[in-house]
Amino acid sequence: MTNNEQLSFKVTEVDNKPVVCLGMTFENEEARREFFREELRKKLPELKQIEGFPIGEDEDIIALSDPPYYTACPNPWINDIISEWQLLSNNKDNYNREPLAIDITEGKSDAAYMAHAYHTKVPSKAIAQYVQHYTEPGDIILDGFSGSGMTGVGVQLADEIEKVTLDRKIVLNDLSTVATHISKMYNSPQNVEEFIKISEKILNKVVNEYSWMFETTHPGVENSKGKINYIIWSEVFSCPECAENLEYWNIAVNEESNSFNEKFKCTNCGSDLEKKNLDKVFETFYDDVINENIRTVKHIPIRINYSFQGKRYEKPLDKRDLEQLAKIDNIKLSKFIPSVPLPKGDEIERLIKSYGYTHTHHLYTKRSLVILSVILEEISKYNNRLLLGWFTSALLRTTKMYKFTLNRKMGTVSGTYYIPSLWVENFPDKLLKRKLNDLSKVSYPEGYNAVINTGTQTNLLINENSIDYIFTDPPFGENLMYSELNFVWESWLGVLTNNDTEAIMNKSQNKGLEEYHSLMFDCFKSYYKVLKPSHWITVVFSNSKADVWNVIQEAIQRAGFVIANVSALDKKQGSFKAVTTTTAVKQDLVISAYKPSEESISQIHQQTNTPESAWIFITQHLEKLPIFLGSKGEASVIAERTPRILFDRMVAYHVQNGLPVPISSAEFQAGVAQRFPMRDGMAFLESQVAEYDKKRTLVKEFSQMSLFVSDENSAIEWIRQQLMKKPQTRQDLHPQFMKEIQHIAKHEQLPELDDLLAQNFLRYEGEETVPDQIASYLRRNFHDMRGLENTDGKLRAKAMNRWYVPDPNKQADLEKLREKTLLREFDHYVEELGNSKKKLKQFRTEAIRAGFKKAWSEKNYEKIVTVGDRLPEQVIQEDDKLLMYYDNAQVRLDM
């Protein structure tokens, strides 16, 4: 049975109310849907020429689509729908907004967030705040990396909060078909009452027919029937000493203490073992789906968790259980299952290399495949559009990736493909009952206020200047391999992501930082084209690497946007990586940028190469900046209004747009003070200064601006300042650090935060008494820590992984370590330059300083001059230490 047969939804119950769509009246929604499906079928040959067209059969794409509002391929009606929306909205020529320059904290507990899993999501309640700030009812919002459609849910929520009569509209786009499939579910009208009735009917049928697969006997009670909740499967290893097979559960799980043994003995030879030293055991079996012999890692069912007479029990498998399993394995699968070969990929290829799995169906037990295939067949008999989303919501939790934990808080490991040594086989009906409840609680829109496109953001086919606001959470470097992670879902849907233009760093796709940079530039260039002038784009950033941060900022600015603010978004509970690693990002950063007005762009070009072009830009930019920042009686410096940052923004805009920089830094600093009112070191427009003065008088305190980070030395000093105030973890420090390094010099090759911390500071790792630097801070700021000794376990736990400033005795050792690292870097520069005359474009200034110092002590003046000649002249002239060594070395060589 093919996918298109499986997903061809039949008409059984239809809402017979007439509907109007794109100027045409249809008898009902199903008639509308079928008309546009036929139109889509005609347009597919032309649509296939568009970059990013997904991989799948025509009929699978058509069956998955709900045109014209949603297509599982590039949507040919997207501009027609936007044009209709524009006729309904108010024409606002006086649009003006400041950036939403506040840090936002929102949790992930709302119904839509929880109902269907996806790899990354921004909470809809947070998105709603941005939507309310930047838009008005009737406006059109775009998210070109929409994932599971949370931006659409946020738009719905904003309308609900404001109780508007004219709804905002949303355009959602993603390269992934499962992403747009989930987006469609959340952002389309749904007949929930009918969904509940049909889904319960399907589950009852499946349970009645296949419940025998999940029944077991209760020991000591003849002919008893317990219902299996789940089955624990254990990986089988081989002892490296005697080659005896060892079941992981039996050697690693200590049931008395409810913990895992880190070290254990071989049950055969008594050798001391650790998991990392064990050998995997493989088994070969005949796969009757693909008619091949398959060799995979061996897992065996080890425990059954079941319910009997209202109580839960656990037991090993008995003879009847094993006979039942053999019976299931002999079932010939006759319905559709996704026997799709696994592709090459940085994440998914681990399934092939480490576990021997080669096709999607290898991730499921035969029992799960039987039941899922029957449920999918039943779903295809109905036209309720929520049913398929209900089905996909349970697909990952029924795989062998569902990890067993001793505290029974089990789940899949997000962001990766990983088969745990102990995994849980769930009965799909149990998961689907839970998801039925979750999906029933979601608030779905009453009308079609969203149009959904499956395609690439690098070349989004939307008319110019048609979007009022953009909210987007794009992929960041190599954080997540979306097309790979979506493969299992999409195998069931029959339409796969075309990842040619997927904007990620991925070795299997031959995409490094340079390719990622190029793709992100194309994405933001596309965003720039469709956004209205003077309107805003909000970009959520989540990555731990400075080079990715710099690439994103550069791509945004090169596309033509001007960055006006960076703030923080705390999503409360982290992903797997954020929770378990000290290097993960705890908070997302939010970049607020705007598209300059056509008038100011024209004026700047008319004044090219004159100082006036700089002041035209600054006047426009000051209009877009917040006038006052403060809370709890304390005002804060708005960094973007300081002359230094204003100069950086002006230079960046001119350079990114191929214009000559019209004014020097010294001239600019003098000109700002002459042309604009200055308050607390910040520049304002005449129309803004009165409001600032009024609000400034109402606060008691004013927080001085922190040290500017422009190079490695100032970065270290900034970190020192932060840690002196508050010893903190790398996760806490990272979002602040990323905001501070926006304005580092272009030549400066700034080390990652991890390297700066390791070379200059100390981290408490729980092995010794809590240092006084941390202990005193904790006792001052936490009531439950007061009076605790530095050796107290509670204090130690709170202090864990916090970085702090070393005491002078240990500082000397750190300086030696750091100097060695810097000298290695300097030697690398010398080797790289060789006998060539090329210039060093990017480097660590601190490494150059360390190298010059050592060369001077060795009287190697030629090395100083040779390297100095390869540095940008401005760098030498502006750095007093480098200039001192360079000038004196030249004098010595001339003697």
Side-chain angles (χ1 to χ4, degrees):
M1 185 172 289
T2 65
N3 271 21
N4 54 64
E5 289 173 327
Q6 194 64 27
L7 294 178
S8 295
F9 290 84
K10 299 174 184 176
V11 179
T12 54
E13 297 179 48
V14 179
D15 185 348
N16 287 312
K17 293 179 182 178
V19 296
V20 178
C21 179
L22 291 179
M24 293 176 279
T25 302
F26 299 92
E27 182 182 353
N28 51 45
E29 284 289 4
E30 191 60 28
R32 179 269 303 167
R33 189 173 293 121
E34 289 309 314
F35 171 81
F36 281 104
R37 276 185 175 164
E38 188 56 40
E39 291 299 300
L40 180 60
R41 187 175 281 108
K42 296 173 188 175
K43 294 175 183 289
L44 281 180
E46 182 181 347
L47 294 174
K48 287 178 182 178
Q49 307 307 310
I50 297 175
E51 189 178 52
F53 190 90
I55 302 164
E57 297 296 324
D58 289 2
E59 292 307 309
D60 290 332
I61 292 170
I62 292 165
L64 193 57
S65 300
D66 185 11
Y69 304 112
Y70 162 60
T71 56
C73 64
N75 192 328
W77 296 282
I78 193 166
N79 284 309
D80 297 329
I81 294 173
I82 290 173
S83 296
E84 273 204 352
W85 288 344
Q86 288 173 328
L87 292 174
L88 296 172
S89 66
N90 300 318
N91 185 15
K92 298 178 283 292
D93 294 327
N94 60 342
Y95 178 86
N96 186 37
R97 292 289 191 284
E98 295 177 7
L100 185 58
I102 60 172
D103 293 346
I104 289 180
T105 300
E106 281 293 352
K108 306 176 177 182
S109 57
D110 60 283
Y113 198 100
M114 304 300 292
H116 198 302
Y118 199 68
H119 321 296
T120 55
K121 298 177 189 175
V122 177
S124 57
K125 290 179 182 178
I127 298 171
Q129 294 186 54
Y130 290 99
V131 170
Q132 286 180 277
H133 177 81
Y134 287 110
T135 69
E136 306 233 353
D139 279 355
I140 302 171
I141 296 103
L142 166 66
D143 184 352
F145 296 99
S146 59
S148 60
M150 287 299 105
T151 301
V153 178
V155 169
Q156 295 172 42
L157 183 59
D159 286 345
E160 191 179 305
I161 293 168
E162 295 180 2
K163 298 179 180 178
V164 299
T165 54
L166 180 61
D167 295 330
R168 294 173 173 88
K169 313 298 181 184
I170 179 72
V171 179
L172 298 168
N173 171 76
D174 204 279
L175 195 62
S176 161
T177 49
V178 73
T180 56
H181 152 72
I182 302 170
S183 290
K184 180 262 298 181
M185 179 184 74
Y186 284 135
N187 293 282
S188 301
Q190 302 292 350
N191 189 333
V192 177
E193 187 177 332
E194 181 190 68
F195 160 68
I196 295 171
K197 185 169 67 174
I198 296 171
S199 57
E200 287 180 341
K201 181 179 177 182
I202 291 172
L203 286 177
N204 287 336
K205 176 178 179 178
V206 171
V207 169
N208 289 337
E209 192 168 344
Y210 294 99
S211 61
W212 63 270
M213 289 186 175
F214 279 83
E215 287 178 350
T216 189
T217 56
H218 184 62
V221 181
E222 192 174 347
N223 297 322
S224 59
K225 286 185 179 180
K227 182 178 179 182
I228 298 175
N229 299 311
Y230 57 82
I231 299 172
I232 304 168
W233 288 69
S234 171
E235 187 169 0
V236 178
F237 290 98
S238 174
C239 173
E241 300 298 327
C242 68
E244 179 75 6
N245 280 3
L246 304 171
E247 294 159 5
Y248 186 66
W249 174 278
N250 293 335
I251 58 174
V253 175
N254 187 328
E255 294 191 70
E256 289 184 7
S257 63
N258 200 39
S259 63
F260 286 102
N261 300 322
E262 293 184 10
K263 297 181 179 181
F264 31 78
K265 290 185 179 293
C266 173
T267 54
N268 183 56
C269 69
S271 298
D272 291 325
L273 302 172
E274 292 182 60
K275 186 181 179 183
K276 63 183 179 181
N277 299 325
L278 298 176
D279 297 323
K280 287 182 178 294
V281 172
F282 285 79
E283 63 179 346
T284 300
F285 68 95
Y286 181 72
D287 183 347
D288 59 4
V289 175
I290 58 175
N291 297 318
E292 290 180 16
N293 283 324
I294 299 297
R295 184 173 178 269
T296 64
V297 166
K298 185 174 182 179
H299 287 85
I300 62 169
I302 201 81
R303 304 279 286 186
I304 293 178
N305 182 290
Y306 66 99
S307 296
F308 179 68
Q309 295 182 351
K311 293 184 179 180
R312 290 173 78 104
Y313 300 90
E314 218 165 82
K315 67 166 190 175
L317 278 75
D318 56 30
K319 181 181 177 183
R320 182 191 176 281
D321 297 321
L322 294 172
E323 289 173 349
Q324 180 175 272
L325 194 61
K327 180 182 175 181
I328 293 167
D329 282 340
N330 286 327
I331 294 175
K332 183 74 174 177
L333 293 166
S334 59
K335 305 181 190 307
F336 168 78
I337 63 163
S339 55
V340 187
L342 299 180
K344 291 182 65 176
D346 289 11
E347 280 291 338
I348 200 167
E349 210 163 348
R350 183 183 302 113
L351 295 175
I352 304 170
K353 293 178 178 178
S354 299
Y355 304 105
Y357 299 153
T358 59
H359 292 68
T360 307
H361 67 280
H362 293 156
L363 288 168
Y364 296 86
T365 63
K366 176 70 76 71
R367 184 163 22 203
S368 292
L369 287 172
V370 169
I371 294 169
L372 288 170
S373 64
V374 171
I375 291 172
L376 183 59
E377 183 182 57
E378 289 299 311
I379 283 172
S380 69
K381 297 175 182 177
Y382 300 91
N383 69 342
N384 186 283
R385 312 307 297 169
L386 195 51
L387 289 170
L388 190 59
W390 172 58
F391 177 76
T392 56
S393 70
L395 287 178
L396 293 186
R397 289 171 173 258
T398 49
T399 67
K400 299 173 184 178
M401 296 186 288
Y402 200 76
K403 184 179 182 180
F404 172 80
T405 58
L406 290 170
N407 62 8
R408 283 8 184 218
K409 293 182 179 179
M410 299 171 284
T412 55
V413 179
S414 64
T416 187
Y417 278 103
Y418 166 67
I419 309 296
S421 295
L422 295 173
W423 54 267
V424 171
E425 180 185 7
N426 283 306
F427 193 10
D429 93 304
K430 180 190 72 173
L431 294 174
L432 285 167
K433 279 181 181 176
R434 189 183 306 156
K435 287 301 173 185
L436 189 164
N437 183 56
D438 291 343
L439 289 167
S440 300
K441 294 177 181 177
V442 175
S443 177
Y444 301 98
E446 294 181 3
Y448 286 95
N449 296 325
V451 59
I452 302 168
N453 184 77
T454 307
T456 177
Q457 172 58 34
T458 58
N459 187 25
L460 193 55
L461 302 177
I462 296 178
N463 292 336
E464 286 187 48
N465 301 333
S466 58
I467 300 298
D468 295 291
Y469 171 60
I470 296 168
F471 184 96
T472 190
D473 181 13
F476 291 104
E478 52 193 351
N479 270 20
L480 290 167
M481 309 301 167
Y482 288 93
S483 62
E484 294 179 37
L485 297 172
N486 290 339
F487 185 81
V488 174
W489 277 317
E490 293 177 351
S491 296
W492 285 94
L493 295 177
V495 188
L496 305 176
T497 299
N498 180 340
N499 61 20
D500 287 349
T501 58
E502 186 178 17
I504 60 172
M505 293 164 64
N506 183 292
K507 293 176 184 176
S508 302
Q509 296 180 27
N510 296 316
K511 293 173 183 173
L513 187 65
E514 186 177 342
E515 289 75 18
Y516 170 72
H517 187 185
S518 176
L519 287 163
M520 288 310 305
F521 168 64
D522 288 341
C523 291
F524 283 108
K525 188 168 64 173
S526 183
Y527 272 143
Y528 186 87
K529 181 193 78 172
V530 303
L531 186 65
K532 291 178 180 177
S534 296
H535 286 240
W536 289 86
I537 178 173
T538 298
V539 183
V540 180
F541 174 87
S542 180
N543 189 282
S544 61
K545 292 189 175 180
D547 55 0
V548 177
W549 170 245
N550 292 333
V551 158
I552 285 292
Q553 287 194 99
E554 204 278 339
I556 292 171
Q557 293 178 106
R558 186 152 66 97
F561 291 108
V562 180
I563 295 173
N565 184 70
V566 178
S567 52
L569 171 63
D570 187 351
K571 295 191 284 193
K572 293 267 186 152
Q573 65 190 71
S575 66
F576 175 77
K577 292 177 182 177
V579 169
T580 59
T581 71
T582 57
T583 60
V585 181
K586 187 176 181 181
Q587 290 179 306
D588 291 345
L589 298 176
V590 180
I591 303 170
S592 299
Y594 62 89
K595 180 176 178 176
S597 68
E598 292 178 341
E599 181 184 4
S600 64
I601 292 172
S602 174
Q603 289 176 349
I604 288 171
H605 280 271
Q606 289 172 12
Q607 298 292 333
T608 297
N609 216 13
T610 71
E612 197 57 33
S613 72
W615 303 121
I616 293 168
F617 172 84
I618 294 301
T619 301
Q620 173 205 239
H621 190 54
L622 289 174
E623 271 183 10
K624 294 289 187 180
L625 301 180
I627 295 174
F628 183 86
L629 288 182
S631 62
K632 298 179 181 179
E634 181 177 289
S636 303
V637 168
I638 304 166
E640 287 288 338
R641 287 189 175 275
T642 61
R644 177 194 167 112
I645 304 302
L646 289 172
F647 180 74
D648 286 349
R649 293 292 184 216
M650 183 275 296
V651 170
Y653 181 81
H654 281 75
V655 171
Q656 298 287 11
N657 287 276
L659 301 171
V661 178
I663 192 170
S664 70
S665 176
E667 293 169 322
F668 183 88
Q669 304 299 322
V672 165
Q674 294 170 0
R675 289 172 173 262
F676 302 100
M678 301 295 294
R679 296 291 189 275
D680 298 314
M682 299 177 288
F684 293 85
L685 299 177
E686 290 288 353
S687 59
Q688 298 171 329
V689 74
E691 180 182 343
Y692 178 81
D693 287 343
K694 180 180 178 181
K695 291 180 177 179
R696 177 73 169 84
T697 59
L698 299 177
V699 298
K700 296 178 180 178
E701 297 183 27
F702 189 81
S703 61
Q704 295 299 319
M705 190 162 44
S706 62
L707 177 74
F708 274 117
V709 175
S710 59
D711 59 10
E712 185 175 350
N713 199 36
S714 56
I716 294 167
E717 186 54 39
W718 180 86
I719 296 170
R720 186 184 302 277
Q721 287 184 9
Q722 305 308 305
L723 296 182
M724 288 289 286
K725 289 187 289 185
K726 173 188 174 182
Q728 53 194 298
T729 67
R730 187 259 189 205
Q731 284 181 307
D732 293 328
L733 196 59
H734 180 266
Q736 308 165 59
F737 180 73
M738 296 301 278
K739 285 197 281 184
E740 292 296 328
I741 65 172
Q742 291 183 82
H743 306 289
I744 61 168
K746 288 186 178 179
H747 68 266
E748 187 64 38
Q749 188 178 6
L750 190 67
E752 296 292 344
L753 175 60
D754 299 317
D755 296 327
L756 292 174
L757 287 169
Q759 293 170 16
N760 299 279
F761 303 96
L762 295 176
R763 184 177 72 188
Y764 178 66
E765 299 178 2
E767 295 176 0
E768 70 275 349
T769 301
V770 179
D772 287 335
Q773 296 96 310
I774 300 178
S776 58
Y777 166 77
L778 294 177
R779 284 194 285 262
R780 267 196 327 270
N781 290 275
F782 296 92
H783 291 291
D784 57 342
M785 298 287 142
R786 290 177 183 173
L788 297 182
E789 297 293 331
N790 290 26
T791 54
D792 190 279
K794 190 175 181 181
L795 193 74
R796 281 183 159 185
K798 192 77 172 176
M800 185 65 72
N801 288 322
R802 289 178 186 263
W803 288 90
Y804 60 98
V805 179
D807 64 39
N809 296 327
K810 295 179 180 177
Q811 184 71 37
D813 291 338
L814 277 175
E815 288 297 334
K816 290 176 185 176
L817 176 64
R818 172 175 161 72
E819 187 175 27
K820 283 184 179 180
T821 304
L822 292 171
L823 289 173
R824 280 198 301 271
E825 190 84 15
F826 178 77
D827 290 340
H828 172 71
Y829 299 150
V830 173
E831 184 180 340
E832 181 184 334
L833 291 171
N835 296 320
S836 70
K837 298 293 183 183
K838 68 178 183 179
K839 292 277 188 180
L840 271 177
K841 291 183 179 178
Q842 264 203 329
F843 47 86
R844 292 174 65 181
T845 304
E846 283 296 293
I848 302 292
R849 290 173 185 154
F852 278 14
K853 178 183 177 183
K854 184 170 185 291
W856 182 267
S857 68
E858 295 172 346
K859 299 185 178 181
N860 192 343
Y861 308 123
E862 186 175 355
K863 181 184 282 190
I864 295 173
V865 173
T866 300
V867 175
D869 287 342
R870 303 296 185 275
L871 300 177
E873 185 177 348
Q874 184 181 1
V875 174
I876 288 283
Q877 296 300 323
E878 292 182 357
D879 191 299
D880 57 342
K881 294 183 180 67
L882 295 183
L883 187 61
M884 174 187 69
Y885 287 123
Y886 181 73
D887 281 351
N888 282 285
Q890 283 185 316
V891 171
R892 294 293 188 279
L893 286 177
D894 291 339
M895 290 174 62

